[in-house]
Amino acid sequence: MAQILVFPIVLLLTFSPSSYAKCAYEAIFNFGDSNSDTGGFYSAFPSQPSPNGMTYFSKPTGRTTDGRLYIDFLAQAMGLPFLSPYLQSIGSDYKHGVNFAVSASPVLQPNTSLFDTRVSPFYLAVQINQMKQFKARVDESKSQGETNLPQPDIFGKALYTIYIGQYDISHDVASLGADGVKQYGPQIVQEITNAIKELYRLGGRSFLVLNLAPMGCYAAVLTQVSHDESDIDQSGCMISFNNAVRDYNSALKESLQQARQEELKDANVIYVDNHAIQLDLYQNPTSHGLEHGITACCGYGGGSYNFDPQVFCGNTKEMNGQKVTASACGDPEKYVSWDGIHLTENANKIKASAILSGSYFDPQFSLNQLCDIQPIG
């Protein structure tokens, strides 16, 4: 029987600068999953428990971490407010962008329901269709003076960020091993490339496309995917799983390069080596002022992983006749992993700083030449 890897659906004071920094990009349009969801999933299904949000907001905000995500830090660095989720009907302001990312969203259309396998119905093509609808609404409302929408010319002056595929690859590798990536990887890559082309036709010209993280370092993977001790590296990560992710990332990089040479010659389509950034965090946490690499801050079970797939961060469940709670550590700023899958706020900040440096871009691309990058903190 195929092994199904279970990833939990878990769940800034609003950053409002008095004046926006000088930047060629006046908005961010983001597409993805829980790694960059700022509240979309929990706008549709409100139920996120504490301690999510404990560090910065002092309450859950729909972000799957203790505070801010890397997309929050990118917006702050560009002098923009935090992105409102597309699915959030109350209090949203879309003048400087929209967040279409929704937790647990795959690239490919799921063939099962949210309640059966915890996969979101807001897969990538749905997010792109939402973007099309948003643009149509902006174009229609030009003369109606709607205050929470941008001007129609915003789409050519925006940065488009895409980070998605974690669910697809984790499911494929857990079910089929490395062959799962070989079987479904090309289709996933093609869907992402097609999405970029769709956004290009809507006016987008600058894209940051993050490759996938080293999921073999996730406590959720290490506790649920069978492996031999010989398959674990010195930092505690699963070698075969990370190799499968690297194969996928290589295919994504090649596809983006081909798209640049053909249909997207006048666009900035930037491949971001997120894998290298996060691998360094897991393997060398102390080099970044952290103490714990693969161990989850918020979880249950203790030990090297502090992760139990039966009780996710913030949840309480009866196990072996007693109630147990997956609670948070008291010092999340010292951890890379928040809940066995997602990064802590501090790790997200380090990741955003690495992205902003431009050192992980292919081809070379400097945001500093287009934006007066603001300090993040």
Side-chain angles (χ1 to χ4, degrees), residues 167-224:
Y167 174 86
D168 304 86
I169 295 300
S170 63
H171 179 271
D172 293 340
V173 174
S175 302
L176 304 171
D179 288 340
V181 174
K182 295 177 182 178
Q183 182 174 345
Y184 293 104
Q187 186 179 354
I188 298 167
V189 166
Q190 189 59 54
E191 285 295 317
I192 292 176
T193 305
N194 289 342
I196 295 169
K197 293 176 181 178
E198 287 284 343
L199 295 171
Y200 176 87
R201 285 189 279 271
L202 295 177
R205 290 297 181 271
S206 294
F207 305 88
L208 296 185
V209 186
L210 279 65
N211 69 8
L212 293 184
M215 292 183 285
C217 300
Y218 290 1
V221 169
L222 290 161
T223 55
Q224 295 183 85

Side-chain angles (χ1 to χ4, degrees), residues 73-250:
F73 289 114
L74 289 186
Q76 181 180 353
M78 294 167 62
L80 300 174
F82 297 142
L83 297 181
S84 293
Y86 180 76
L87 296 177
Q88 181 176 287
S89 60
I90 300 174
S92 290
D93 187 339
Y94 301 124
K95 290 192 295 293
H96 294 280
V98 182
N99 194 352
F100 296 94
V102 178
S103 294
S105 293
V107 173
L108 304 180
Q109 180 177 354
N111 56 10
T112 185
S113 76
L114 169 71
F115 304 102
D116 290 333
T117 58
R118 301 176 184 271
V119 56
S120 162
F122 298 99
Y123 60 100
L124 183 57
V126 171
Q127 295 181 28
I128 298 301
N129 284 335
Q130 290 173 332
M131 176 67 183
K132 292 178 180 178
Q133 183 183 49
F134 178 79
K135 184 178 186 302
R137 180 62 183 270
V138 169
D139 291 341
E140 291 170 359
S141 63
K142 178 179 179 181
S143 61
Q144 297 176 14
E146 295 193 35
T147 58
N148 70 332
L149 296 179
Q151 294 298 309
D153 64 350
I154 195 71
F155 302 100
K157 299 187 292 185
L159 181 65
Y160 294 75
T161 51
I162 302 172
Y163 180 22
I164 192 169
Q166 176 172 284
Y167 174 86
D168 304 86
I169 295 300
S170 63
H171 179 271
D172 293 340
V173 174
S175 302
L176 304 171
D179 288 340
V181 174
K182 295 177 182 178
Q183 182 174 345
Y184 293 104
Q187 186 179 354
I188 298 167
V189 166
Q190 189 59 54
E191 285 295 317
I192 292 176
T193 305
N194 289 342
I196 295 169
K197 293 176 181 178
E198 287 284 343
L199 295 171
Y200 176 87
R201 285 189 279 271
L202 295 177
R205 290 297 181 271
S206 294
F207 305 88
L208 296 185
V209 186
L210 279 65
N211 69 8
L212 293 184
M215 292 183 285
C217 300
Y218 290 1
V221 169
L222 290 161
T223 55
Q224 295 183 85
V225 178
S226 59
H227 57 275
D228 297 328
E229 285 301 314
S230 60
D231 196 20
I232 300 297
D233 65 18
Q234 293 183 342
S235 58
C237 300
M238 195 185 308
I239 298 169
S240 60
F241 208 110
N242 280 346
N243 285 341
V245 174
R246 287 192 183 96
D247 289 342
Y248 164 82
N249 286 340
S250 295

Side-chain angles (χ1 to χ4, degrees), residues 51 54-55 66 292 295-299 306 326-335 337-338 344:
M54 61 180 277
T55 297
D66 59 306
H292 308 281
T295 306
C297 165
C298 184
N306 192 36
S327 56
C329 61
D331 51 355
E333 71 279 1
K334 296 180 181 179
Y335 285 72
S337 177
W338 167 240
T344 60

Side-chain angles (χ1 to χ4, degrees), residues 34-48:
S34 54
N35 292 296
S36 61
D37 180 1
T38 54
F41 184 90
Y42 290 99
S43 294
F45 308 99
S47 62
Q48 190 183 36

